[in-house]
Amino acid sequence: MTPEYAEVLALQALGHVAADEELSGAFMGASGLSPDDMRRGATDPSFLASVLDFLTQRDDWVMAFCDARALPYDAPLQARYALPGAEQVHWT
């Protein structure tokens, strides 16, 4: 996955989180961000990575997001790995 496509997917995830009252409340509560902070963060790849970090914490959140966009369930995690700050674990 390219970083550009990962940013697009992360922006979609941000929209998904922002549109869901429960998710946005959980995200803002966990991060201490305001709605304005979320809007400003939309242009920052590191912030977008944090949205994917949040979303991928729970399978039901990932499944709802992916089902709404007809994406494979591994798409958010693949996008996360393409954005800044990702640490990939290589099992041998």
Side-chain angles (χ1 to χ4, degrees):
M1 179 175 297
T2 67
E4 294 79 15
Y5 181 72
E7 284 188 33
V8 169
L9 194 142
L11 279 168
Q12 292 174 348
L14 176 59
H16 178 80
V17 169
D20 183 297
E21 191 174 313
E22 179 184 335
L23 278 179
S24 63
F27 182 65
M28 289 187 292
S31 64
L33 297 172
S34 71
D36 286 337
D37 294 329
M38 289 175 62
R39 281 188 283 280
R40 282 191 294 273
T43 60
D44 178 2
S46 294
F47 173 78
L48 293 173
S50 74
V51 172
L52 292 172
D53 284 336
F54 171 77
L55 186 69
T56 57
Q57 289 181 55
R58 289 187 38 182
D59 290 344
D60 58 328
W61 294 348
V62 169
M63 292 169 61
F65 169 68
C66 291
D67 288 348
R69 284 156 187 79
L71 295 169
Y73 292 144
D74 68 341
L77 193 56
Q78 293 298 323
R80 176 60 190 102
Y81 286 141
L83 293 173
E87 182 177 323
Q88 293 190 27
V89 176
H90 299 280
W91 301 96
T92 55

